[in-house]
Amino acid sequence: MKNTLYSNTIFPLKESPKSTGSESEVVIVVGVVGEWHGHPSGSFKITAEDLKTIKENFDKQKTEIVIDYEHQTLYGTEAPAAGWISELMIEGDKLLAKITWTEKAAEYIKNGEYKYVSPVYVFDSFDNKTNAYIGIKLHSVALTNTPFLDELGEVHANKNTQKEKNMDKDKNPANAEDQKKPDEKDGDAASQTGTDADLATENEKLKEQLAETKVEAAIAANKITADQKAWAVKYCKQDPEGFTQFLSFQKEQKDLPGSNMFANKSGQGDGIDVVALATGNTK
């Protein structure tokens, strides 16, 4: 593994209790515990101990760490600073850096011309004075638009832009619906319409089942005939209470004919003349 590695292990800017001073001073994450295998310089990992070592080595040096543009510091060419790291802090599994942007860099970020940062680690470093092995240290950090990790977040020009962005997210939650784009509202409306349609279908099925149950019970009780089932189900679905009231007036019907009107023309049983009933001639 090469000593110098462009790890690009950077995450969104965040506020820190130690972040005070000018509005161009912000806090970014320049290290995180993890392991990666797809970097062009080879696989690498950062441990919690590595974060402590990076901070310890920084605290011992008397110079701030530069933030450049596109890693220009590594190439020995003109490399103007975009900002400076004045303090490193550890929070959980992250290494935080307190930085101050230059005016030009802040404008780049504010205009969306630069969005991400990428750190450079030297894993096997030595003390400049004693030549003693000191392990991993942070060499520099670069503004870039081509970060290594897809988990990277965006940087902010200053405290104000960061606060404004957070406020925009939290502002007027009750009016969130009004802030949506037309296509988003249409999508929500379509989703709600689909839900309403499903509920309506379920209600219809339930009404059908209840009506079927009531009608079957009425047929079993000889309140209506099997031939009347289709009509009765339709009636019961539309007006369940009316159908129940209708049944209350129906006497138990015995031996009523089905589709044959002349079945009991000459019957003696209960004396009901179906032909007479059908023709209205009951005399």
Side-chain angles (χ1 to χ4, degrees), residues 264-276:
N264 68 344
K265 171 62 177 151
S266 58
Q268 302 296 322
D270 54 11
I272 297 176
D273 190 334
V274 177
V275 174

Side-chain angles (χ1 to χ4, degrees), residues 3-10 30 65 68 71 74 118-123 136-142:
N3 285 341
T4 302
L5 181 67
Y6 314 118
S7 70
N8 297 5
T9 323
I10 298 301
V30 294
I65 294 178
D68 60 25
H71 297 297
L74 298 175
S118 171
V120 178
Y121 297 111
V122 179
F123 283 86
I136 186 172
K137 72 176 184 179
L138 181 62
H139 174 273
S140 59
V141 177

Side-chain angles (χ1 to χ4, degrees), residues 122-168:
V122 179
F123 283 86
D124 299 310
S125 57
F126 296 84
D127 184 86
N128 292 337
K129 295 180 179 179
T130 66
N131 201 34
Y133 180 78
I134 58 175
I136 186 172
K137 72 176 184 179
L138 181 62
H139 174 273
S140 59
V141 177
L143 270 177
T144 182
N145 288 324
T146 55
F148 170 64
L149 295 177
D150 56 9
E151 296 92 347
L152 299 178
E154 297 182 11
V155 297
H156 302 279
N158 51 50
K159 292 179 182 178
N160 285 337
T161 57
Q162 184 175 357
K163 291 177 181 177
E164 287 169 3
K165 187 169 184 178
N166 292 335
M167 289 175 62
D168 287 341

Side-chain angles (χ1 to χ4, degrees), residues 18-27 86 98-100 159:
K18 296 184 179 181
S19 180
T20 57
S22 69
E23 289 300 328
S24 60
E25 183 184 83
V26 292
V27 174
S86 59
K98 182 188 292 185
I99 67 171
T100 302
K159 292 179 182 178

Side-chain angles (χ1 to χ4, degrees), residues 152-210:
L152 299 178
E154 297 182 11
V155 297
H156 302 279
N158 51 50
K159 292 179 182 178
N160 285 337
T161 57
Q162 184 175 357
K163 291 177 181 177
E164 287 169 3
K165 187 169 184 178
N166 292 335
M167 289 175 62
D168 287 341
K169 290 181 179 179
D170 299 333
K171 186 170 56 178
N172 297 330
N175 298 327
E177 184 66 28
D178 296 334
Q179 297 174 13
K180 290 183 178 180
K181 296 179 181 178
D183 55 343
E184 292 176 333
K185 291 183 179 180
D186 292 342
D188 290 345
S191 176
Q192 184 62 43
T193 300
T195 302
D196 292 344
D198 292 340
L199 289 175
T201 301
E202 288 299 320
N203 286 337
E204 283 300 311
K205 289 181 180 179
L206 182 59
K207 287 182 180 180
E208 184 81 26
Q209 292 173 355
L210 292 175

Side-chain angles (χ1 to χ4, degrees), residues 9-277:
T9 323
I10 298 301
F11 291 78
L13 288 171
K14 58 180 292 182
E15 290 291 334
S16 165
K18 296 184 179 181
S19 180
T20 57
S22 69
E23 289 300 328
S24 60
E25 183 184 83
V26 292
V27 174
I28 65 175
V29 182
V30 294
V32 65
V33 173
E35 189 169 350
W36 299 268
H37 299 281
H39 196 278
S41 295
S43 299
F44 69 99
K45 66 179 180 179
I46 301 289
T47 66
E49 286 300 316
D50 289 331
L51 299 185
K52 292 180 182 179
T53 301
I54 293 172
K55 174 174 168 49
E56 289 172 359
N57 286 331
F58 173 78
D59 291 342
K60 292 176 183 178
Q61 69 185 52
K62 298 180 179 179
T63 58
E64 297 182 337
I65 294 178
V66 67
I67 302 176
D68 60 25
Y69 296 94
E70 305 295 351
H71 297 297
Q72 291 174 337
T73 302
L74 298 175
Y75 305 129
T77 59
E78 184 177 350
W84 296 94
I85 296 176
S86 59
E87 184 180 352
L88 290 180
M89 303 157 286
I90 295 176
E91 184 178 286
D93 60 354
K94 297 180 178 64
L95 180 67
L96 308 181
K98 182 188 292 185
I99 67 171
T100 302
W101 298 116
T102 64
E103 184 176 348
K104 183 176 181 180
E107 280 299 311
Y108 277 142
I109 296 168
K110 185 176 180 180
N111 295 334
E113 296 173 87
Y114 272 108
K115 285 191 173 185
Y116 309 107
V117 283
S118 171
V120 178
Y121 297 111
V122 179
F123 283 86
D124 299 310
S125 57
F126 296 84
D127 184 86
N128 292 337
K129 295 180 179 179
T130 66
N131 201 34
Y133 180 78
I134 58 175
I136 186 172
K137 72 176 184 179
L138 181 62
H139 174 273
S140 59
V141 177
L143 270 177
T144 182
N145 288 324
T146 55
F148 170 64
L149 295 177
D150 56 9
E151 296 92 347
L152 299 178
E154 297 182 11
V155 297
H156 302 279
N158 51 50
K159 292 179 182 178
N160 285 337
T161 57
Q162 184 175 357
K163 291 177 181 177
E164 287 169 3
K165 187 169 184 178
N166 292 335
M167 289 175 62
D168 287 341
K169 290 181 179 179
D170 299 333
K171 186 170 56 178
N172 297 330
N175 298 327
E177 184 66 28
D178 296 334
Q179 297 174 13
K180 290 183 178 180
K181 296 179 181 178
D183 55 343
E184 292 176 333
K185 291 183 179 180
D186 292 342
D188 290 345
S191 176
Q192 184 62 43
T193 300
T195 302
D196 292 344
D198 292 340
L199 289 175
T201 301
E202 288 299 320
N203 286 337
E204 283 300 311
K205 289 181 180 179
L206 182 59
K207 287 182 180 180
E208 184 81 26
Q209 292 173 355
L210 292 175
E212 288 272 357
T213 301
K214 282 190 175 183
V215 170
E216 290 290 348
I219 294 174
N222 290 323
K223 294 286 186 175
I224 60 174
T225 67
D227 290 341
Q228 295 174 301
K229 181 176 180 179
W231 163 82
V233 169
K234 183 177 180 181
Y235 178 23
C236 186
K237 279 179 61 179
Q238 293 177 345
D239 187 2
E241 293 183 2
F243 181 72
T244 300
Q245 187 176 11
F246 164 78
L247 291 179
S248 66
F249 293 109
Q250 303 305 304
K251 295 181 180 180
E252 184 178 344
Q253 302 181 31
K254 299 180 179 179
D255 301 323
L256 284 179
S259 58
N260 185 358
M261 293 180 63
F262 304 96
N264 68 344
K265 171 62 177 151
S266 58
Q268 302 296 322
D270 54 11
I272 297 176
D273 190 334
V274 177
V275 174
L277 288 172

